[in-house]
Amino acid sequence: MFEGVIPALITPFNNDETQSLDFDGLRSCIEHVIRGGVHGLLACGSTGESATMSHQEHIHVVEETVSAASSRIPAIAGTGSNNTEEALMMTRAAKKCGADGVLLISPYYNKPNRSGLIKHYTKVAEIGLPVIVYNIPGRTGQNLPADLIIEMVKTIPNIVAVKEASGNIDQMMAIIKGTQDIERDYPFILSSGDDSLTLPVMSIGGAGVISVTANIEPKRVVKMYELFKKNDRIGAMKMHYELMELSKALFMDVNPVPVKRAAEIRGLIKSGGVRLPLDSLSETMTENLRAVLAKYD
């Protein structure tokens, strides 16, 4: 269900005093990526600014995403927290909304030990939705090592995938090797959490990408994936390098500041504004971003 190109959707805000949710902009973004051929949607991840939304806003965005997907492609909800009870509450809400699965970031700031991590993921998985483990040590301050991922895959049936954003290819290979022979009803998959590593990760057995770049250029990211799946390695490599400049530009400042500005420049949303403590892209960076985007028009 979760293989392929899955954009980590931005959450557009209106340019008003409270920066209220822009549901028209959200639907515009969703239709754009679906027309581009993506294989799923992720709402309320890091790119979706879940950290600055209230619980009610978070739930509304998941509801809108599920509704806009209209069963055409899977809709995944980010429901992670460093508070297990909060993660449980948000996962139950996602299930009620009709989400097809959840992305669960490892608990940040409090840095639980191995036993705490396993108990955290076990409790959330008991709700019954498929769980994608999200390993992004740059945001959580704690890496989930390969042997821990493998242990959880062996013992928690609802864990179906990992979004790997550690940047550590050796670790990813260890996860793929250590999970490929585990007997389950469905194969466990590893997806890249970094656009720049999508093709390298697929070459070692990865199943795709949960992507920032696909918000802007879904057709090109999907084409790279499909070329690789058709064993056209040269074609996939050419597309990988074609996308490289854009992928780098979308991280010229902290995610999702550049990608939201890019969506505004492309006319997908009315405002690329972010909520504090994030701040808007500088004028110089914005002009650089415009120049890069022009190359993909």
Side-chain angles (χ1 to χ4, degrees), residues 207-220:
V209 60
I210 297 180
S211 170
V212 174
T213 305
N215 281 284
I216 307 301
E217 285 290 336
K219 289 183 180 179
R220 283 184 166 96

Side-chain angles (χ1 to χ4, degrees), residues 2-23:
F2 303 130
E3 293 186 2
V5 176
I6 300 175
L9 296 168
I10 60 174
T11 302
F13 302 131
N14 289 305
N15 192 21
D16 53 26
E17 187 174 347
T18 62
Q19 290 185 295
S20 58
L21 297 173
D22 175 12
F23 289 118

Side-chain angles (χ1 to χ4, degrees), residues 273-292:
V274 292
R275 287 179 174 175
L276 289 170
L278 298 180
D279 200 6
S280 300
L281 204 63
S282 71
E283 289 186 14
T284 300
M285 286 186 173
T286 298
E287 289 311 306
N288 290 340
L289 182 60
R290 285 184 189 277
V292 172

